[in-house]
Amino acid sequence: SFLISNAVFWLDRYHADGLRVDAVTSMLHLDYSRNEGEWEPNIYGENVNLEAKTFLQEFNTAVYKEFGNNIMTIAEESSDFPKLTKPVHDGGVGFGMKWMMGWMHDTLFYFKEDPIARKHHHHKLTFASMYMYNENYMMPLSHDEVVHGKASLIYKMKGDEWQKFANLRALYVYMYTHPGTKLLFMGDEFGQTNEWNFKQSLDWHLLQYPVHQGLQSLVKDLNHLYKEETAFYENQFKPEGFEWVEANDEANSVYIYLRKGKRRGDVFMVILNLTPRVIDYKVGVNAGTHWEVVLNSDDEKYSGSGVEAHIFREDHDEWMNRPRSITLNLPALSGIVLKQIKDKKYKIYV
């Protein structure tokens, strides 16, 4: 009762937007960090801490009853405990979201790799699509990733200064357009170079440099894109909101996927080129669809190189198991977002 009252107090008196419950894995598993013989099974002979599960169910029921969808509860949980974000009345634990720890580890591992070796780790970025609808996931680039000698996000990236910022911009495009809610820790949005230190302010002085200004501008535009375009959030916990176009081009380290809203034609295409070279790339599209580039992480306003991602060809030939194709140039280490449009803008080559 005291703990649940505590939660309600923070949400009511301090108007917190939500509560993250830390170390849920250790609460739910009797054998967590214990060797054989150091723990006792529950009454069913299993390793689930039934009392802890009941408490978390009561906690989630109480706060959502009091505040509804005005708040969120988030579980930091690293196992595959079932139904963590399912409703309590369906046997779930009742959390609003779960931290996508696997996505975070795989993504940072990939972007730390030299681009020449990324082809050997290509499916680090596709693996999340195997399980991303099991729970309501939040993608956490949190305080845990920028403390205790782990380095800031910008210094986790590979390459020289230009490549580090290009990599981080591409990572943010990938994150914002991937199914699941988003979490950036303070300072990540402008490329804080120092690890987070609670004893001092953020390195706001870095915004005098164009590369940091550009990164901040990209995050601002991604926030607007995510908020204004329903395709990026309406179906983010449902399979119909995501579709791979190209998931297996290890040789070029290119990824292509669609995000879809509930309305017909509310579709965006995301293309990631995660090598430091500009390439012309042919992409399969559905018949009768036409596209325009709405965001390019390599744009000069983001302190990129300014290579334009331009669709310069449309064809009637089948490609990537789709009846039509477009060809566009992809800037180096970039994330490109295209919007499906109604009006045909480009010449068809038959």
Side-chain angles (χ1 to χ4, degrees):
S1 177
F2 170 75
L3 291 172
I4 292 174
S5 297
N6 219 323
V8 172
F9 177 84
W10 277 94
L11 296 167
D12 179 38
R13 299 295 178 174
Y14 289 115
H15 307 288
D17 295 315
L19 298 168
R20 184 199 79 148
V21 181
D22 194 28
V24 171
T25 308
S26 65
M27 301 180 199
L28 289 174
H29 294 87
L30 294 166
D31 58 346
Y32 183 82
S33 290
R34 290 180 171 87
N35 298 316
E36 186 175 352
E38 294 180 345
W39 63 281
E40 295 182 6
N42 62 29
I43 58 174
Y44 302 111
E46 299 169 343
N47 68 339
V48 176
N49 187 326
L50 299 175
E51 292 81 6
K53 180 181 177 181
T54 298
F55 162 71
L56 292 172
Q57 288 174 321
E58 292 177 355
F59 152 70
N60 282 307
T61 299
V63 296
Y64 277 110
K65 180 180 179 181
E66 184 74 21
F67 302 100
N69 290 328
N70 295 316
I71 59 96
M72 66 184 81
T73 62
I74 308 158
E76 191 232 5
E77 207 277 328
S78 56
S79 75
D80 57 354
F81 194 90
K83 294 188 174 183
L84 200 68
T85 60
K86 305 306 178 185
V88 173
H89 60 76
D90 286 339
V93 184
F95 281 99
M97 280 169 281
K98 171 183 175 177
W99 278 29
M100 206 172 188
M101 304 292 284
W103 175 89
M104 180 273 294
H105 286 298
D106 288 345
T107 298
L108 293 181
F109 177 94
Y110 182 91
F111 278 91
K112 288 177 183 178
E113 285 292 314
D114 192 298
I116 200 171
R118 286 177 176 172
K119 61 185 177 182
H120 303 300
H121 307 284
H122 187 79
H123 292 290
K124 287 287 186 182
L125 295 194
T126 65
F127 183 65
S129 62
M130 302 293 289
Y131 63 86
M132 61 190 178
Y133 300 115
N134 294 347
E135 301 284 357
N136 297 341
Y137 279 111
M138 171 177 279
M139 296 148 59
L141 295 177
S142 73
H143 65 290
D144 282 334
E145 314 330 314
V146 293
V147 293
H148 307 317
K150 297 177 185 176
S152 61
L153 283 190
I154 190 64
Y155 281 159
K156 294 181 193 293
M157 301 296 105
K158 201 69 177 178
D160 57 20
E161 181 183 73
W162 184 89
Q163 289 191 347
K164 286 182 186 299
F165 277 90
N167 270 307
L168 193 54
R169 291 193 301 268
L171 189 162
Y172 286 167
V173 172
Y174 167 59
M175 175 184 181
Y176 269 82
T177 59
H178 191 283
T181 55
K182 326 301 173 189
L183 176 67
L184 280 181
F185 189 63
M186 51 187 177
D188 290 346
E189 77 278 12
F190 63 83
Q192 166 99 1
T193 52
N194 288 315
E195 288 190 347
W196 181 59
N197 185 347
F198 71 92
K199 296 180 180 179
Q200 64 189 48
S201 71
L202 299 176
D203 294 340
W204 294 112
H205 63 277
L206 293 174
L207 287 170
Q208 66 184 297
Y209 302 109
V211 287
H212 294 275
Q213 291 177 14
L215 184 62
Q216 186 186 50
S217 294
L218 175 69
V219 172
K220 180 180 179 180
D221 287 351
L222 286 170
N223 277 324
H224 282 296
L225 184 72
Y226 181 69
K227 179 181 178 181
E228 295 167 4
E229 298 292 353
T230 54
F232 291 113
Y233 64 83
E234 275 188 336
N235 291 320
Q236 65 181 353
F237 300 134
K238 301 176 182 178
E240 54 265 35
F242 179 90
E243 180 183 349
W244 280 111
V245 176
E246 177 55 79
N248 298 307
D249 190 357
E250 295 98 337
N252 290 301
S253 296
V254 168
Y255 303 81
I256 308 172
Y257 51 88
L258 303 179
R259 293 301 312 278
K260 304 175 184 180
K262 294 179 180 179
R263 291 177 289 108
R264 180 181 174 87
D266 186 14
V267 182
F268 284 78
M269 181 190 300
V270 181
I271 307 177
L272 306 173
N273 173 23
L274 299 180
T275 61
R277 60 192 179 96
V278 179
I279 57 175
D280 293 342
Y281 204 84
K282 189 174 181 178
V283 180
V285 297
N286 292 330
T289 63
H290 305 282
W291 304 84
E292 66 176 353
V293 176
V294 295
L295 187 139
N296 172 7
S297 68
D298 194 50
D299 198 297
E300 286 184 349
K301 67 178 177 178
Y302 306 135
S303 201
S305 62
V307 173
E308 183 181 0
H310 176 61
I311 300 172
F312 60 85
R313 187 178 180 92
E314 292 188 7
D315 289 301
H316 275 295
D317 58 338
E318 182 178 346
W319 196 255
M320 296 179 177
N321 297 315
R322 296 168 192 269
R324 302 288 185 266
S325 69
I326 59 175
T327 305
L328 69 166
N329 62 316
L330 302 179
L333 296 173
S334 66
I336 310 299
V337 181
L338 300 91
K339 183 175 184 177
Q340 184 175 310
I341 56 175
K342 295 180 180 179
D343 299 322
K344 186 169 73 171
K345 298 179 64 176
Y346 305 102
K347 182 178 179 181
I348 297 290
Y349 291 82
V350 181

